[in-house]
Amino acid sequence: MRLSPRAAMPVPEIICSRCSGVCNNKVKELGIQIPRPVSQGPSRFIPEQEYLESFLKTQHYLLQTDGPLPACYQHYIGIMAAARHQCSYLVNLHVNDFIQSGGDQKWLNGLENAPLKLRNLGELNKLLAHRPWLITKEHIEQLLKTGEHSWSLAELIHAVVLLAHYHSLASFTFGCGTSPEIHSDGGHTLRPPVGNGCICDIANGNHGGDDSRQTAGVLSSDSSCEVEVLMERMKQLQECRDEEEASQEEMATRFEREKIESMLAFAAEDEDPPPAKEVSKHFEDTRYGYKDFSRRGMHVPTFRVQDFSWEDHGYSLVNRLYPDVGQLLDEKFHIAYNLTYNTMAMHNHVDTSTLRRAIWNYVHCMFGIRYDDYDYGEINQLLDRSFKVYIKNVVCSPEKTTKRMYDSFWRQFRHSEKVHVNLLLMEARMQAELLYALRAITWYMT
């Protein structure tokens, strides 16, 4: 994502920047109002000074390498995946890249104008984004069957990685409240700034550019107590882990209980409004989603990592069909999972491994993925309801994430710690999607 216009600025952006300078001077002479960004910085939730530095550290995770698919296909798949979550920020970004890569602009009029080969990917895009446990070898077979519009295995692996990448990146984008670019809808205003900021910043709760505390919420005795209680629970779990082990039956029961509870962790919101036409034209079945599934009370089957894991199965399959990408993804997963500054709010030298594992495993639990050696009873001790609601929305319905959800959990933690949470959610979600898709491809191949 181009969040830093001064870092490796592409030629079109250099032209845009210089032209805007000339135009601004001219229109000022004519007394014409100039639109300005709705908010200062890339995020509506987080002060610029804190967020930008933290976010840019993730850029090397998001690098793409040349693969079996041509560049215009890569960007169009990115558009399809981002549109599935109504992420106009990513859609707009890849529309521009699609055009620059020589893609046929007729495709941008809607999915029905794209080649049949890409249209056939729509069902996999839908399932992977919302209900990956429904993906079967028949879905894979349908895409790979011999014909003019069929996919090769290498192309399909490339497409699956791109879809999972942009679904999870949409989660990160919405989870961090990324602001639209000034030239996008909702990214500019003609209203004058109020004091040192914009009236829109005040409405979004982003007033006060200098946040010396660098915390995500309001400091209070309650929020301070929240941190202390969480740390004490982490300490107790670490001390008691080796003393008493639950039976496999009890461990399975705790997982099923947490999986069922996770389906109910959405915030109470009004009926979903239909997606904007500019985004919805890039995908089909706009009402399909995770929330609809849980409302019907249907069962999410259990996926046992002991039977199919990223380390033992997914990694080697991707590396075999899409060389070096398995290694790239594996390093990215490990960096996100193990990343820590050993801090919690105002506390230093804290072992956060228990908390990080709970967050990662909770995401996988929502997708029905179970680790036999993990006690899912830990999740309820470490993640309170407001945090679970935030995780569930960011991972399953990121387009519904609000600032209220962001502010309601971990109120005394730094913004960088919440960005770290979003990195964990992004990578855990991507791995979950890949596990289901790669398992189906393995079933097809055997």
Side-chain angles (χ1 to χ4, degrees), residues 266-431:
F266 276 113
E269 301 289 347
D270 296 330
E271 268 309 303
D272 307 334
K277 181 75 168 75
E278 282 304 301
V279 173
S280 64
K281 66 183 179 181
H282 297 299
F283 67 97
E284 300 169 327
D285 201 354
T286 59
R287 290 295 183 182
Y288 193 92
Y290 188 105
K291 188 173 184 180
D292 293 337
F293 180 87
S294 62
R295 277 177 174 171
R296 295 190 185 104
M298 297 174 69
H299 179 66
V300 178
T302 296
F303 182 122
R304 296 179 71 251
V305 169
Q306 278 64 23
D307 298 331
F308 191 95
S309 69
W310 166 256
E311 290 80 7
D312 297 331
H313 306 91
Y315 167 81
S316 57
L317 178 61
V318 173
N319 240 22
R320 177 152 54 96
L321 296 173
Y322 191 1
D324 299 328
V325 172
Q327 179 66 32
L328 178 66
L329 293 173
D330 191 60
E331 290 176 358
K332 181 159 67 79
F333 292 146
H334 277 89
I335 289 171
Y337 185 89
N338 294 309
L339 180 65
T340 181
Y341 302 107
N342 298 112
T343 63
M344 284 186 66
M346 72 295 293
H347 300 280
N348 298 317
H349 311 296
V350 181
D351 180 359
T352 62
S353 58
T354 302
L355 182 58
R356 285 181 280 116
R357 189 182 186 192
I359 294 170
W360 186 280
N361 287 358
Y362 183 62
V363 172
H364 281 196
C365 178
M366 291 189 298
F367 287 96
I369 298 172
R370 180 192 169 202
Y371 295 83
D372 286 353
D373 61 347
Y374 183 69
D375 181 358
Y376 287 84
E378 293 187 7
I379 290 176
N380 270 337
Q381 297 186 58
L382 299 176
L383 312 183
D384 63 20
R385 175 165 174 76
S386 62
F387 193 11
K388 285 184 175 182
V389 166
Y390 177 79
I391 292 174
K392 183 67 176 287
N393 278 274
V394 168
V395 172
C396 300
S397 299
E399 63 276 11
K400 298 171 187 174
T401 306
T402 65
K403 188 175 187 295
R404 178 181 54 79
M405 295 177 192
Y406 177 89
D407 287 339
S408 67
F409 82 97
W410 284 13
R411 289 166 293 173
Q412 203 178 16
F413 283 70
R414 297 179 178 90
H415 290 298
S416 59
E417 291 171 309
K418 291 195 172 187
V419 171
H420 184 189
V421 166
N422 285 327
L423 289 179
L424 283 172
L425 304 185
M426 175 174 70
E427 298 301 337
R429 177 188 178 173
M430 182 174 185
Q431 190 179 94

